[in-house]
Amino acid sequence: MKYQARLEDSVKQLSSVLEEQKQLLAEHKANQNYAERLQNILTPTDELTTKGDDLYIGGCKASDLVEQYGSPLFVLSEDTLRGNLRRVKAAFGSNWPKPVNVMFAIKSNTNFAVRAICNEEGVGGDCFGPGEVEATHIGAQIRKRSHLTVQLSLS
């Protein structure tokens, strides 16, 4: 019984601390505006900004994009994509003793425009299966920068 009472006291104390932390987090979120929140998570190449309560992606007002194209809507900033590809290539290229071939995983985004941008930036395509090879080549991917992953079954 002695241990049961100690355990119950510990649980009550932890519950109290958890509630206190939840309250502090709620107060913090309430006191931080959208622009401040966004600034806390941006990377150097992000094209996201706010004006009042409006989100802008690459200079385009997000609500205008939704009005024009409908929702749900997937929006990608070409400048951010290019900047991120360049940052990855530079990071690996400057820290690896031999030439580095950065490969974009096609399965993460098969959009042909994305593939074309990757190709223009010198990023290859990591392909698994015919659909991914096709997406890579339709996106103007150069054959020598493609990599076909083959899975063998030994059963």
Side-chain angles (χ1 to χ4, degrees):
M1 293 302 270
K2 177 168 93 174
Y3 295 112
Q4 179 70 26
R6 288 170 76 186
L7 180 61
E8 288 174 2
D9 284 345
S10 294
V11 168
K12 285 179 186 175
Q13 287 176 344
L14 287 173
S15 294
S16 174
V17 169
L18 180 61
E19 286 305 314
E20 212 174 287
Q21 291 298 316
K22 285 181 181 178
Q23 180 63 33
L24 287 172
L25 181 60
E27 289 173 12
H28 174 72
K29 285 182 177 180
N31 292 328
Q32 190 179 31
N33 68 35
Y34 293 117
E36 288 173 352
R37 286 189 204 166
L38 188 60
Q39 290 304 314
N40 290 334
I41 60 170
L42 288 178
T43 66
T45 54
D46 282 334
E47 294 284 324
L48 300 173
T49 57
T50 59
K51 292 179 185 168
D53 287 343
D54 294 320
L55 174 66
Y56 286 78
I57 305 166
C60 299
K61 189 175 175 183
S63 59
D64 290 348
L65 294 172
V66 169
E67 187 177 310
Q68 184 174 353
Y69 299 105
S71 176
L73 179 64
F74 181 81
V75 179
L76 186 104
S77 165
E78 180 177 346
D79 291 339
T80 297
L81 176 60
R82 287 184 186 278
N84 287 343
L85 294 171
R86 291 172 187 158
R87 282 190 316 143
V88 169
K89 284 179 62 177
F92 280 101
S94 65
N95 292 294
W96 199 255
K98 296 187 179 198
V100 174
N101 188 14
V102 174
M103 306 293 264
F104 177 80
I106 304 301
K107 65 180 67 25
S108 67
N109 188 330
T110 57
N111 182 294
F112 299 142
V114 169
R115 283 303 318 136
I117 292 168
C118 289
N119 181 57
E120 290 170 8
E121 292 297 330
V123 172
D126 180 27
C127 305
F128 183 86
E132 293 177 8
V133 172
E134 182 179 7
T136 297
H137 289 286
I138 290 174
Q141 177 65 4
I142 299 170
R143 186 178 294 267
K144 70 179 183 178
R145 288 207 179 124
S146 297
H147 174 75
L148 178 60
T149 303
V150 180
Q151 183 176 20
L152 299 174
S153 176
L154 301 175
S155 50

